[in-house]
Amino acid sequence: MNHDIRTILYASDLGEGCEAALAYAIGLADRLGARLRVLTVIEDQRERSLIDLEEHVPQPALDRYHDQRAVRTLAHIEAQIAEFYAARGGAAPRQPVTELIVHEGDDVPQAILDEADRGHADLILMASRGKGVLASLLLGSATQEVLRRTRKPLLLIPVGE
């Protein structure tokens, strides 16, 4: 079994502390000389909006709104990366982020696992906030499911309070 880490998938929910986890992911990828792919999964609201708004908003307008959600999410991630570089005097790491992925879907853990397989990730990296009832029974539900179902190494970065 090869233990080299050539590709890291950082799965972000863009929540509190994700900037610190992104900085860690970029630094780790740089130190290891690994590719870094950044994924965020946004909730699929298309079907619900068809039911709730179909008679009030024309379909082309709804389609544009949903397409723009992914664009706004991508812009948010790009801004975080730019802030990371700006905080370090603009010095880019040897191994910059190689791919930004916004996936729209309802099964977040499965989307993370699918993207890890598709991108041949050797390591999955996720933030862990550790809040709630016994830290949401130790981890958040998406993190817990990824941990339970993956056969790839998973690195959790503690963030937040």
Side-chain angles (χ1 to χ4, degrees):
M1 179 178 200
N2 186 354
H3 295 288
D4 289 341
I5 297 175
R6 293 188 184 110
T7 302
I8 299 171
L9 175 66
Y10 167 53
S12 174
D13 65 2
L14 302 180
E16 180 185 340
C18 64
E19 297 88 355
L22 175 63
Y24 188 91
I26 292 171
L28 181 63
D30 191 43
R31 284 189 301 279
L32 297 174
R35 293 177 353 139
L36 177 61
R37 303 174 75 237
V38 178
L39 167 71
T40 192
V41 180
I42 57 176
E43 181 183 2
D44 185 355
Q45 297 179 343
R46 290 177 192 267
E47 188 172 315
R48 183 175 52 218
S49 67
L50 286 175
I51 294 167
D52 295 343
L53 301 172
E54 184 174 32
E55 54 195 58
H56 304 292
V57 179
Q59 185 60 48
L62 279 176
D63 290 340
R64 279 192 306 278
Y65 167 77
H66 289 295
D67 293 342
Q68 285 301 311
R69 280 181 67 230
V71 170
R72 285 190 304 272
T73 302
L74 189 61
H76 183 82
I77 297 168
E78 288 170 339
Q80 286 182 345
I81 293 168
E83 286 175 24
F84 171 84
Y85 293 142
R88 282 146 188 85
R94 292 175 312 187
Q95 292 294 119
V97 175
T98 56
E99 189 173 3
L100 301 174
I101 307 131
V102 176
H103 177 82
E104 192 173 15
D106 295 322
D107 189 346
V108 174
Q110 191 60 53
I112 293 169
L113 296 169
D114 289 347
E115 195 57 50
D117 288 341
R118 186 175 12 267
H120 307 288
D122 301 302
L123 174 69
I124 301 170
L125 191 145
M126 298 176 73
S128 176
R129 288 178 191 81
K131 294 182 178 178
V133 179
L134 191 57
S136 189
L137 297 177
L138 301 180
L139 303 168
S141 59
T143 305
Q144 191 173 26
E145 274 302 300
V146 171
L147 177 60
R148 189 177 68 74
R149 293 165 35 187
T150 190
R151 297 294 168 244
K152 296 179 182 288
L154 173 64
L155 177 59
L156 302 178
I157 306 304
V159 297
E161 298 174 23

